[in-house]
Amino acid sequence: MSAVMHRAKADARASHVTVGQVRHLAGGREEIDCSCGMTLTNGPQWSLDEHIRLHRAEARYLALSEVAPAGMPRLIPVDPARLPR
């Protein structure tokens, strides 16, 4: 992995960490805050842990997409601004 892509991945990891304690709400709902400002929750078909993992994976993907070399083959088409659609 190039130094630029490695730094982007590390920055994304550092920018998306859970903050505080899990809040247990009525109806079995749970939520926790991310350092980016988003509130992560569980849902009817996903756990809080699954939401945290997806959120972090999306953050890494977006960070890597921003610095990936133009023309690199992709699974998801990239618009002219080079971010996934």
Side-chain angles (χ1 to χ4, degrees):
M1 179 177 288
S2 72
V4 171
M5 291 184 80
H6 180 74
R7 171 60 26 212
K9 184 178 174 183
D11 289 347
R13 187 180 320 116
S15 299
H16 294 275
V17 295
T18 54
V19 178
Q21 300 290 319
V22 173
R23 294 180 295 279
H24 301 279
L25 308 173
R29 301 283 297 183
E30 297 176 329
E31 62 182 29
I32 193 166
D33 296 320
C34 179
S35 58
C36 73
M38 185 172 181
T39 299
L40 307 173
T41 63
N42 67 329
Q45 297 179 346
W46 67 90
S47 69
L48 180 58
D49 184 62
E50 289 170 327
H51 192 180
I52 292 168
R53 289 175 187 274
L54 175 63
H55 181 72
R56 289 177 179 163
E58 286 178 328
R60 285 190 311 272
Y61 176 74
L62 289 174
L64 290 171
S65 290
E66 287 178 348
V67 300
M72 180 182 276
R74 307 290 294 269
L75 288 173
I76 298 172
V78 178
D79 69 15
R82 298 187 59 210
L83 286 178
R85 57 181 171 113

